[in-house]
Amino acid sequence: MKNIAILCSGGDVSGMNAALKRFVEYSFVKGLTPYFVYNGYEGLIDNTIYEVGYKDVAGIIVNGGTKIRSSRSKRFMEENYRKQAIDNLNEHNIGYLVVLGGDGSFKGMKKLSEESNSISFCGIPATIDNDIAGTEYCLGVDTALNVIKDAIDALRDTASSFSRAFVIEVMGRDCGYLTLVSALTSGAEMCLIPEIPYDLDTYKDSFKKQMKEGRKYFIAVVSEGLNNTAEITKWFENEVGIESRATILGHVQRGGNPTVYDRLMAYDFVTHAIDGMLDGNASSVICYGGGGFNYKDIEDVAFRENHIKPELLNLGLEFGQKR
Ligand code: F6P
């Protein structure tokens, strides 16, 4: 079969549109006919599957989000809806499906691959959380980190002008990657993530000493997964003795004009995904690591626990140490 489709599932990321553009262009290079599935797995069930061409991707590379929309589909967990999805793909003679998403999306893709015998699947890791086992990089992370960097840099202006502590909550679900990298690269004084135990008393002693020595403000970056933003903000007021404000960055972290790195990674991920399926990988995820791309079984990606690299965690351990 010469027809190939792509869908976006789960949280959108900047770089998905660049991936769609590359998908259409590279499909033609490979003699395939490209199709978009709108609304993620929901669209597979509802048959919102359309043949596309160059005009559908013109100008979209600069936009965040995804032109073909995304969803978190509950129906897709049920076998009868997945059967409907496979019937719809077959109706369009689609032999290859690319899925951009996170581990939940890949679990759905695994089920689909077990239940269909004529379709090849390839997942592309795409989540700002960077929490997928087996890949060092997920599409969208660089743009999210840059959005967070800009926000923290701006908050620093107010923190320093007003002698305040700012407690900034960063996304990532239970993974502290975004928080840790953001804290390191924005020169924060405090970084709290689920992966590293922390001792507020040590922070307190250190912060009070620093204030005596003339420090006027603090930047604290905390993971949403800890659910303690309000508590830490109060702690600054009551225990450290400095006026404080909380800023929850929220979904602003998922949007925005994709960075050069994410545009380039989108191109590379899609190229490898299509090449892999044409080479006979029927059910895999294209992962990035050690400076290159490799195909991994869905099992080894979506069903394994992810860990932040030890070298990065070690840098995180320096926060909260006696200074
Ligand atoms: O997985 C991406 C992510 O943005 C997480 O960081 C966050 O916890 C979650 O999605 C938010 O989900 P929703 O967009 O459904 O509120």
Side-chain angles (χ1 to χ4, degrees), residues 10-13 72 127-129 131 170-174 178 224 250-251 253-254:
D12 55 287
V13 304
R72 302 190 204 274
T127 165
I128 63 164
D129 302 341
D131 63 347
V170 167
M171 273 187 170
R173 287 188 198 276
D174 300 324
L178 277 187
E224 65 171 353
H251 287 80
Q253 295 162 96
R254 283 234 297 261

Side-chain angles (χ1 to χ4, degrees), residues 100-164:
L100 285 149
D103 52 359
S105 311
F106 298 154
K107 283 179 181 149
M109 190 176 86
K110 172 144 182 73
K111 288 250 179 239
L112 211 55
S113 77
E114 286 164 356
E115 292 160 6
S116 76
N117 38 33
S118 57
I119 305 167
S120 296
F121 298 87
C122 190
I124 294 180
T127 165
I128 63 164
D129 302 341
N130 214 23
D131 63 347
I132 300 182
T135 188
E136 279 174 23
Y137 190 75
C138 300
L139 193 63
V141 171
D142 189 58
T143 305
L145 285 172
N146 277 286
V147 168
I148 298 166
K149 174 204 61 132
D150 287 345
I152 298 179
D153 287 355
L155 288 167
R156 178 184 292 276
D157 292 344
T158 286
S160 59
S161 308
F162 251 87
S163 303
R164 278 177 178 167

Side-chain angles (χ1 to χ4, degrees), residues 305-321:
E305 213 176 302
N306 176 61
H307 298 287
I308 296 178
K309 278 212 253 174
E311 310 86 77
L312 189 55
L313 269 186
N314 281 341
L315 292 176
L317 284 170
E318 291 180 22
F319 284 100
Q321 281 178 6

Side-chain angles (χ1 to χ4, degrees), residues 90-312:
N90 287 336
E91 182 195 311
H92 295 283
N93 282 319
I94 287 164
Y96 308 94
L97 179 67
V98 178
V99 173
L100 285 149
D103 52 359
S105 311
F106 298 154
K107 283 179 181 149
M109 190 176 86
K110 172 144 182 73
K111 288 250 179 239
L112 211 55
S113 77
E114 286 164 356
E115 292 160 6
S116 76
N117 38 33
S118 57
I119 305 167
S120 296
F121 298 87
C122 190
I124 294 180
T127 165
I128 63 164
D129 302 341
N130 214 23
D131 63 347
I132 300 182
T135 188
E136 279 174 23
Y137 190 75
C138 300
L139 193 63
V141 171
D142 189 58
T143 305
L145 285 172
N146 277 286
V147 168
I148 298 166
K149 174 204 61 132
D150 287 345
I152 298 179
D153 287 355
L155 288 167
R156 178 184 292 276
D157 292 344
T158 286
S160 59
S161 308
F162 251 87
S163 303
R164 278 177 178 167
F166 267 88
V167 181
I168 302 153
E169 183 182 298
V170 167
M171 273 187 170
R173 287 188 198 276
D174 300 324
C175 176
Y177 179 88
L178 277 187
T179 304
L180 177 50
V181 174
S182 299
L184 288 168
T185 55
S186 61
E189 284 69 48
M190 178 185 234
C191 171
L192 304 182
I193 62 172
E195 292 85 347
I196 300 180
Y198 58 88
D199 176 14
L200 286 180
D201 287 337
T202 314
Y203 268 116
K204 181 170 145 181
D205 293 346
S206 162
F207 287 176
K208 284 194 155 241
K209 182 167 160 270
Q210 289 180 47
M211 283 170 75
K212 264 203 199 115
E213 290 164 359
R215 174 172 277 288
K216 295 277 185 286
Y217 70 94
F218 294 98
I219 298 289
V221 191
V222 303
S223 285
E224 65 171 353
L226 288 171
N227 204 15
N228 63 359
T229 307
E231 179 203 323
I232 299 298
T233 309
K234 272 198 204 120
W235 174 84
F236 267 108
E237 297 251 348
N238 300 338
E239 301 294 327
V240 183
I242 182 167
E243 191 181 25
S244 64
R245 293 286 187 273
T247 300
I248 297 172
L249 294 182
H251 287 80
V252 75
Q253 295 162 96
R254 283 234 297 261
N257 172 270
T259 58
V260 167
Y261 188 71
D262 270 324
R263 295 179 197 198
L264 207 53
M265 287 303 275
Y267 268 52
D268 281 340
F269 270 127
V270 169
T271 306
H272 284 90
I274 294 178
D275 283 346
M277 289 190 291
L278 293 177
D279 285 348
N281 290 302
S283 175
S284 62
V285 177
I286 181 72
C287 292
Y288 181 79
F293 290 85
N294 36 71
Y295 302 95
K296 298 210 171 154
D297 281 352
I298 304 173
E299 283 287 339
D300 293 333
V301 177
F303 295 85
R304 270 183 39 214
E305 213 176 302
N306 176 61
H307 298 287
I308 296 178
K309 278 212 253 174
E311 310 86 77
L312 189 55

